[in-house]
Amino acid sequence: MLLGIDIGGSGVKGAPVNETTGELTAERLRIPTPSPATPESVAGTVAEIVHHFGWSGPVGCTYPGVVEGGRILTAANVDSAWIGVDGAGLLSDATGCPAALINDADAAGLAEIAFGSGRASEGVVILLTLGTGVGSALFTHGQLVPNTEFGHLYFQGGAAEKFVSDAVRKSEDLSWTEWAARLNAYLGYIEILLWPELIILGGGVSKRHEEFLGLLTTRARVVAAELRNNAGIVGAALAAARAG
Ligand code: BGC
């Protein structure tokens, strides 16, 4: 068993995970993300979750930006104080447990490939999380290419996530048809670059997939993520297992 913790913009969520079945072995705990969400304050929240479960083993955490060898390199939608921080070191010190850190979309992708919508796919699979920003995870033969940032492809005059995220759908009050037209343009662009066989759409809006999946016109099969809200927690635990 490993403890998975998903650090998001509004909540930090954690639960122990059985890494061979992908199941949560206890009810998850969610604590609102502190504001401002500085590295120190978020590390304190992660430590609270660790203590709540009386945990002393390895911990895996997600982070919504580029993570290389435990170090944080970007902060598109979070406090810029995170840039340059040794996130894995910070969280290990705060919790007293060995901590691994992984990009949030990469974590969701690992979980979907192991236990969800991507489990039968050997070819090129792309998972996109549509939330405040747009995160991406790229796989071939089930292997992750870490830190792809397809939400930051230059598209329609800026970062693609400013055009197709779920936050933009809400703030611009787009109808499902209008938003699906944007998604079709964006997914079509990704398709001519990467030719995936499967596109998995995650993030909170995937709960409402019946509103928009049928409007998508991609060449690739496009499906909703199966693990929904728990993909980050499960993928974080898988990252801890990989870190050994
Ligand atoms: C970040 C990604 C992250 C995504 C979803 C983007 O702005 O650059 O690293 O995966 O938001 O949180």
Side-chain angles (χ1 to χ4, degrees), residues 7-9 63-67 74-78 103-106 129-137 147-152 159 161-162:
I7 300 176
Y63 170 79
V66 174
V67 182
T74 70
N77 294 304
V78 288
N103 171 267
D104 56 357
D106 284 351
T129 61
L130 305 164
T132 309
V134 173
S136 59
N147 289 315
T148 56
E149 285 284 344
F150 300 143
H152 290 269
E161 67 178 11
K162 304 286 181 220

Side-chain angles (χ1 to χ4, degrees), residues 1-4 15-19 55 58-60 237-238 240-241:
M1 260 201 325
L2 296 144
L3 187 67
V17 176
N18 176 331
E19 71 273 23
W55 193 259
V59 176
L238 292 178

